[in-house]
Amino acid sequence: TDKPHELLIRGRLYDVSNFTHPGGSIIKFLTDGGDATEAFVEFHGRLKKAELILKSIPSRPAPASVMKTRGYNGKEALSKDYLALREELEKEGYFDPAPSHVAYRVAEIVAMHALGAYLFMAFDSLVVKALGVFVLGVVSGRCGWLMHEGGHYSLTGVPAVDRALQIALYGIGCGMSAAWWRNQHNKHHATPQKLKHDVDLDTLPLVAFNAAIAQKAKNPVLKWWLRNQALLFTPVSCLIVALGWQYYLHPRHIVRTKRLHTEGLMLVLRHLLLYGVVFKGFSFGSAFGLFLIYNCIASSYIFSQFAMSHTHLPVSKPDEFLHWAEYGSNHTTNIKNNFMVNWFMGYLNFQIEHHLFPSMPQFRHPIVSPRVKALFLKHGLTYDERPYFSCLMDTWRNLHEVGQSVDEKKKA
C-alpha cells in the first residue's frame, strides 16, 4: 500500500492523498512535512465550509514521534504565544470589517478615476491631459492595493462580497483576473521566499530577485538583460509583465476556468471605458500609445512597491519548514510608519503584520504592530523595519547585484 500523504493541523494528521483542494496546489507545500496549523487558520478563518471539509477528511491523532519532528515547526512556545496574540486581537475587534473604511477606499478609487478622465477629456492643454493620464495610471495601481484586500477577504469579511469587489476592481481597474491572483498569491503567502514554492520567485525571463534564480539563465541575451535589470525593471520590465498578464496569462485562466461571464465581462468593460470613452476620438495608434503610457505608470507603481517587501531578502531551501511567524520575520520587510507611505502603499508597508494576519483589515496593521514587535522580541525574531527610501535603495541594489551574478557558476 502506498504511504498516505498527510497534513498536520492542530495535532492531527489528515490524509489528503485523494483530496482535491479547492484552493489549488498550495496544499502540497505543507504535506508530509512541517505543521500547517497557522496556515490553515489564517487562510480559512472567514470560510465556514473549511472546518466542515477538514472534518470530512480521514484523520488520526499525530503520534508523539511526528509531533517531535513536525509539531509547531519546532517552535511550540512561539506557536502558543502567537495563538494567544491572535485570539486577543480577534476579541478586541481588530479582525472585524470596517464598512466606513471600505466606503472611503472605494469612493477614493471612483473619484480618482473621475478626476483623471475629466482632466484628460475636458482640457486641450497637453500638460493637463498628461496629468489626467498620470492620475489614471496611479489609480489603476491603487485598484491593485484594494483588490488585494478583497482577495484576502479583509474588506467586508464576507468572502462572496469581497470576491465580487476584487473581480470588479482588478478586472476594470487593472485588466486582470482575480481568480488567477488568488491562486498564485496564496502560494506566496504560504511560504514566502521559499525556493520551488513561492511563485513570486519564479520570475524569469524578465527579472531575477535571487542569485539561485539568476543562475538558471543560459541564453546570452537573457544574461545581458539580467545584468541590466536594475535599469530595466521600471518601467520596461514592469510594463512587459503587465501586458503579459493582461493579454495572455489572465485571459487564458479566465477561459480555462469558465469565468467569461464574470471576469471576462470586467475586461470587456475596461476596454470599452478606455477606448470608447476616455480615448474616444483618437486614432487607434494614438489611443494605444496613451494606453501604454497609462499602463506603464500603473505597473511601475504597483510592482515597484511590492518588490520592496521581500525581494531583497534571503530565501529558504525547498525542504526547509519554517514557523508561520518565522516567514514574517526572516523573509518580510516593513516600511516605517508614515502617513504618506501608508497611503501610497495601501498599508502594505506593514508586510510583517499582513503576513501574520492576512485577513485583518490592513489599515489596522499600524495599530497592532507594537504588539507583533513585542512577540518577535520575546522569541528572538527579527522585526525588519526600514525607512522608505532606504528600502527602495536596498531593493534596487539587490536587483543590480543579482543581475551581476549570472555567471557565478561558470567562474566557480
Side-chain angles (χ1 to χ4, degrees):
T1 305
D2 292 336
K3 182 180 177 181
H5 296 291
E6 295 179 309
L7 197 66
L8 177 62
I9 298 175
R10 298 179 186 136
R12 293 190 69 84
L13 288 169
Y14 292 84
D15 184 355
V16 294
S17 305
N18 299 310
F19 176 65
T20 302
H21 184 240
S25 62
I26 182 175
I27 194 172
K28 295 178 181 179
F29 296 177
L30 294 167
T31 300
D32 298 328
D35 190 330
T37 300
E38 287 86 7
F40 175 81
V41 171
E42 296 303 339
F43 283 130
H44 304 96
R46 298 192 188 275
L47 299 169
K48 295 178 181 178
K49 285 185 177 180
E51 292 288 350
L52 296 175
I53 293 173
L54 187 66
K55 289 178 181 177
S56 72
I57 300 173
S59 68
R60 62 188 175 100
S65 59
V66 172
M67 291 303 296
K68 185 177 180 179
T69 57
R70 293 174 57 180
Y72 310 104
N73 289 303
K75 304 283 183 180
E76 183 174 359
L78 175 59
S79 280
K80 290 180 177 179
D81 285 347
Y82 169 81
L83 178 60
L85 174 59
R86 194 190 196 284
E87 288 177 347
E88 287 174 10
L89 295 175
E90 197 164 10
K91 286 178 183 177
E92 293 169 25
Y94 286 104
F95 285 85
D96 295 347
S100 60
H101 182 77
V102 176
Y104 150 66
R105 296 286 296 276
V106 173
E108 178 193 78
I109 294 291
V110 173
M112 288 185 70
H113 272 108
L115 175 62
Y118 173 71
L119 292 174
F120 182 81
M121 297 169 66
F123 295 88
D124 294 327
S125 167
L126 291 178
V127 174
V128 178
K129 284 185 177 295
L131 180 60
V133 173
F134 178 78
V135 172
L136 289 171
V138 170
V139 72
S140 176
R142 294 193 66 73
C143 283
W145 296 131
L146 193 55
M147 79 81 199
H148 179 277
E149 287 225 44
H152 283 294
Y153 309 142
S154 60
L155 289 175
T156 69
V158 180
V161 176
D162 282 359
R163 279 195 296 268
L165 285 169
Q166 187 196 22
I167 288 169
L169 287 164
Y170 208 32
I172 299 174
C174 304
M176 298 178 188
S177 161
W180 184 93
W181 181 91
R182 288 193 302 273
N183 180 277
Q184 298 297 300
H185 191 68
N186 284 342
K187 294 175 184 177
H188 159 70
H189 261 266
T191 51
Q193 294 293 99
K194 185 172 182 175
L195 291 170
K196 296 185 179 180
H197 290 74
D198 184 357
V199 294
D200 285 4
L201 291 174
D202 187 16
T203 50
L204 290 178
L206 290 175
V207 66
F209 294 116
N210 182 269
I213 303 299
Q215 288 162 19
K216 293 180 180 181
K218 305 299 180 186
N219 185 284
V221 176
L222 177 54
K223 287 186 176 183
W224 175 88
W225 183 277
L226 294 179
R227 288 190 197 100
N228 294 279
Q229 67 175 355
L231 297 173
L232 295 166
F233 185 63
T234 53
V236 181
S237 296
C238 289
L239 177 60
I240 295 173
V241 169
L243 291 171
W245 285 13
Q246 291 164 337
Y247 294 103
Y248 176 63
L249 285 179
H250 289 230
R252 182 181 66 172
H253 186 81
I254 289 170
V255 172
R256 285 179 173 179
T257 57
K258 300 179 181 179
R259 288 182 164 88
L260 287 170
H261 63 296
T262 54
E263 296 186 351
L265 182 62
M266 295 301 105
L267 299 193
V268 171
L269 183 56
R270 167 183 168 83
H271 286 81
L272 288 175
L273 289 170
L274 282 172
Y275 289 100
V277 179
V278 180
F279 301 147
K280 185 179 180 180
F282 286 83
S283 67
F284 176 77
S286 297
F288 184 66
L290 288 165
F291 169 76
L292 288 179
I293 295 170
Y294 149 80
N295 214 13
C296 185
I297 294 166
S299 58
S300 296
Y301 169 30
I302 194 80
F303 291 150
S304 65
Q305 302 311 292
F306 270 123
M308 294 166 66
S309 303
H310 304 280
T311 62
H312 51 88
L313 296 172
V315 296
S316 59
K317 297 177 181 178
D319 58 352
E320 187 178 359
F321 291 94
L322 301 181
H323 189 276
W324 183 260
E326 288 181 305
Y327 280 118
S329 171
N330 299 350
H331 301 301
T332 307
T333 297
N334 274 14
I335 314 300
K336 284 190 174 180
N337 191 2
N338 174 285
F339 172 79
M340 281 304 299
V341 173
N342 294 354
W343 178 85
F344 193 64
M345 298 186 73
Y347 296 99
L348 281 172
N349 48 316
F350 288 86
Q351 279 285 324
I352 293 172
E353 287 71 23
H354 173 60
H355 270 262
L356 292 185
F357 310 118
S359 62
M360 178 185 288
Q362 290 163 13
F363 77 97
R364 294 199 177 110
H365 290 159
I367 305 170
V368 305
S369 63
R371 292 160 77 171
V372 171
K373 192 179 295 187
L375 174 71
F376 279 26
L377 180 64
K378 179 180 178 180
H379 292 277
L381 300 177
T382 300
Y383 189 89
D384 188 352
E385 186 178 39
R386 311 183 190 195
Y388 180 86
F389 288 106
S390 173
C391 192
L392 194 67
M393 288 291 293
D394 291 339
T395 303
W396 255 257
R397 186 182 300 112
N398 179 68
L399 280 168
H400 172 73
E401 291 175 355
V402 169
Q404 306 315 303
S405 73
V406 291
D407 293 317
E408 278 188 2
K409 278 191 174 182
K410 187 179 289 186
K411 290 178 182 178

